[in-house]
Amino acid sequence: MAVATQQTALKGAPATGLTSLIEVAKTRFARYRMYRQTVNELSELSDRELADLGLHRSMIRRLAMQATEEQLAR
């Protein structure tokens, strides 16, 4: 009986404690996946293709981070 009461109480509770920790972890993981996908896609381009875009290989990580932050801000 005590377990049912606790589950009912947690169901309507605001996102605090473990629930908020899980949400933060999900958000960070989604951000990391988006960042890695961008880095991987840009890394597959040749130096010439990057130059055509006005980019240098050393800029990939910074650009991926900026793109991820902009995407999540929307």
Side-chain angles (χ1 to χ4, degrees):
M1 187 62 83
V3 174
T5 305
Q6 288 177 354
Q7 288 177 348
T8 303
L10 290 175
K11 203 178 237 186
T16 58
L18 183 58
T19 305
S20 64
L21 183 63
I22 291 171
E23 289 302 316
V24 168
K26 285 181 183 180
T27 302
R28 286 184 181 178
F29 185 66
R31 179 179 291 154
Y32 175 75
R33 285 182 47 205
M34 188 180 301
Y35 167 79
R36 286 306 314 161
Q37 180 181 3
T38 305
V39 168
N40 290 339
E41 289 177 5
L42 288 174
S43 294
E44 290 177 358
L45 298 176
S46 68
D47 288 337
R48 182 172 179 115
E49 291 170 323
L50 287 171
D52 287 344
L53 295 171
L55 304 175
H56 188 269
R57 195 160 297 281
S58 64
M59 300 167 68
I60 291 175
R61 288 184 179 168
R62 181 177 48 87
L63 291 171
M65 185 64 70
Q66 286 176 347
T68 300
E69 293 300 324
E70 288 174 7
Q71 186 69 24
L72 291 175
R74 294 181 190 178

